[in-house]
Amino acid sequence: MGVALGFAPFVIFAVLMNVSVSFALWLAFAAAFAIGMYDFLHTRALRLLDVGGTVIFGTLALYAGFIQPSLSIEIVRLVVDAGLLLLALYSLLRREPFTLPYAREQVSQELWSAPGFVRTNYIVTAVWTAAFAVMTLADAGATFGPVIPLSLDIAIGLGALALAIAFTARYPAYVRANRQVLARR
């Protein structure tokens, strides 16, 4: 399905959070759960991004719905982005970059354990981790000190995501092209 679908719950939350934080959380939770179940039924595997999104949005939806309904957008954004950062870091520490299952859908099984393929996924995941770190820091600045207004926080987050998306789209092709050039020599 691709990593874009894995991020769909986070996109749903981002688009709807200004309408209603609670509604955005519940809808993102439902999307994360549905995507995770769909993947599981077809692959018999649970992806870290699917499980993590389900846990993050489910926990936040329950907390905001039943314990503290007045959670601010800034706090919720901080928790969501910090959750993404922790998921990405965990995947690197576990030596299973979160991009790997999605990348495996794009290549033949013979390449799955190839050092270049695995290294490319470590690098792509590291770039996403850096983007999540930038987003989390911007969220913290908007939440705990009026250092960053919410609009700038959102702009920083979008910029970090745009760079990560562009890198993800271009870097694997760059690696493949260079591998083919080196093979011809």
Side-chain angles (χ1 to χ4, degrees):
M1 268 193 262
V3 73
L5 191 57
F7 282 121
F10 297 91
V11 172
I12 289 168
F13 169 75
V15 169
L16 296 175
M17 71 180 175
N18 287 322
V19 174
S20 165
V21 171
S22 182
F23 178 68
L25 288 171
W26 283 108
L27 200 56
F29 166 65
F33 182 79
I35 291 166
M37 287 298 94
Y38 178 84
D39 282 348
F40 180 75
L41 291 173
H42 286 85
T43 65
R44 295 291 181 224
L46 291 172
R47 295 182 180 161
L48 181 64
L49 198 54
D50 298 338
V51 172
T54 301
V55 170
I56 291 167
F57 289 118
T59 302
L60 277 170
L62 288 169
Y63 185 79
F66 297 105
I67 297 171
Q68 183 148 8
S70 62
L71 273 179
S72 70
I73 289 175
E74 293 87 357
I75 289 283
V76 174
R77 283 178 49 85
L78 176 61
V79 172
V80 169
D81 291 343
L84 275 169
L85 174 60
L86 291 174
L87 289 173
L89 286 170
Y90 174 74
S91 79
L92 290 171
L93 292 172
R94 202 176 107 207
R95 304 177 83 81
E96 182 79 20
F98 81 87
T99 59
L100 204 51
Y102 301 103
R104 285 180 174 152
E105 292 177 356
Q106 308 299 317
V107 299
S108 64
Q109 193 169 358
E110 303 89 53
L111 293 176
W112 288 8
S113 59
F117 178 74
V118 174
R119 183 177 55 252
T120 297
N121 278 278
Y122 270 103
I123 292 169
V124 170
T125 297
V127 168
W128 279 102
T129 304
F132 299 148
V134 167
M135 292 165 57
T136 301
L137 288 172
D139 292 341
T143 302
F144 297 118
V147 177
I148 298 175
L150 182 60
S151 58
L152 180 57
D153 173 24
I154 292 170
I156 290 170
L158 289 173
L161 287 176
L163 289 172
I165 290 167
F167 185 83
T168 302
R170 293 185 177 151
Y171 183 70
Y174 169 79
V175 170
R176 281 190 302 275
N178 281 338
R179 185 182 63 219
Q180 290 172 351
V181 168
L182 291 174
R184 286 186 218 137
R185 291 184 181 173

